[in-house]
Amino acid sequence: MADVTRTATRAPKVDQACAEAVDIARGAITEEAGHIGEHLNVVAEGDRVVTHYFACDLPGYRGWQWAVTVTRAPRSKHVTVCETVLLPGGDALLAPGWVPWHERLHPGDLGVGDLLPTPEDDDRLTPGYMLGGDPEVDEVAWELGLGRPRVLSPLGREEAAQRWYDGENGPDAPISLAAPRTARCVSCAFYVKLGGSLGRMFGACANVYAPDDGRIVSLDHGCGGHSEVLIDETVIPAPPTIYDDSIVDEVE
């Protein structure tokens, strides 16, 4: 059986000459950069290659460090500088990671004059010539050249329905929970049912006095502006007649 030779990676040792070149490393930081703090430590990068770390006192760069890598040739005591760089430390103040614009958007971010392009491969949409699963829409959308270029896909309808139902216009909104249980939108005269499959669960509020006026609401949403909420008039009894008889003239 052949012997198996295992080669272990040898950790580099700190070169003494390079480790002692603190002043050379400090001098490599340009005067324009400045703000060099105390010497922090030395790390061996390889044979006769070490990196010196200095604290950075630049305003706004809390926790950052200057890193200066130095080296020397074999059998030479002359230390030279390889590179200098400003690096973040463990507790450095860093800017948030970059996020693509389409992942930074939140509901309601679109403002007046803004343009929001829709990706060609948006899963929420499907070509208008394909059946999207909504009978009332499919009657028109399937005809080439007559329908819209794209319509909501089943996934797009499902995501919209779940978002509306879980939001401020669903049954668990604070205004809905505070309303009488009989004051549901489905029985309100101001409830305008949506067309298509979304109309099974949602409609639009048409009560000018309601906070949801002009918005999509679920049929089990509710508020105090229900058309059939009636307040019984309270009959206030007339006050009793009070006679002041503290001073009465007695007559025989």
Side-chain angles (χ1 to χ4, degrees), residues 161 163-176 185 191 201-203 205 211-222:
R163 185 172 61 252
W164 295 346
Y165 199 77
D166 295 338
E168 291 298 317
N169 306 103
D172 295 328
I175 192 172
S176 182
C185 291
Y191 179 77
M201 282 295 297
F202 300 98
C205 177
D212 297 319
D213 179 42
R215 299 179 181 178
I216 300 298
V217 292
S218 66
L219 55 82
D220 50 356
H221 183 68

Side-chain angles (χ1 to χ4, degrees), residues 14 20 33 41 54-55 93 99 102 126 142 160 165 172 183 185 193 201 210 237 247:
V14 177
E20 293 176 354
N41 64 335
F54 300 88
L93 181 63
V99 180
H102 62 277
T126 188
W142 74 274
Y165 199 77
D172 295 328
C185 291
K193 182 180 177 181
M201 282 295 297
I247 300 177

Side-chain angles (χ1 to χ4, degrees), residues 155-167 198 202:
L155 176 63
R157 290 197 305 274
E158 180 181 349
E159 289 182 348
Q162 193 65 52
R163 185 172 61 252
W164 295 346
Y165 199 77
D166 295 338
L198 287 174
F202 300 98

Side-chain angles (χ1 to χ4, degrees), residues 133-138 148 152 157 164 191-204 216:
D134 193 332
E136 296 191 21
V137 178
D138 290 342
R148 291 169 289 172
L152 274 178
R157 290 197 305 274
W164 295 346
Y191 179 77
V192 181
K193 182 180 177 181
L194 291 183
S197 59
L198 287 174
R200 302 170 186 170
M201 282 295 297
F202 300 98
I216 300 298

Side-chain angles (χ1 to χ4, degrees), residues 23-84:
D23 293 337
I24 296 177
R26 183 184 294 273
I29 308 297
T30 62
E31 294 182 359
E32 289 78 6
H35 299 276
I36 308 171
E38 61 177 332
H39 184 261
L40 300 176
N41 64 335
V42 177
V43 176
E45 306 290 355
D47 293 339
R48 299 177 302 278
V49 180
V50 302
T51 299
H52 293 267
Y53 289 90
F54 300 88
C56 177
D57 296 334
L58 277 170
Y61 283 81
R62 184 191 68 198
W64 286 65
Q65 302 173 0
W66 289 107
V68 182
T69 302
V70 298
T71 186
R72 67 179 180 87
R75 295 184 296 276
S76 173
K77 297 297 183 181
H78 181 66
V79 178
T80 59
V81 176
C82 296
E83 63 178 357
T84 62

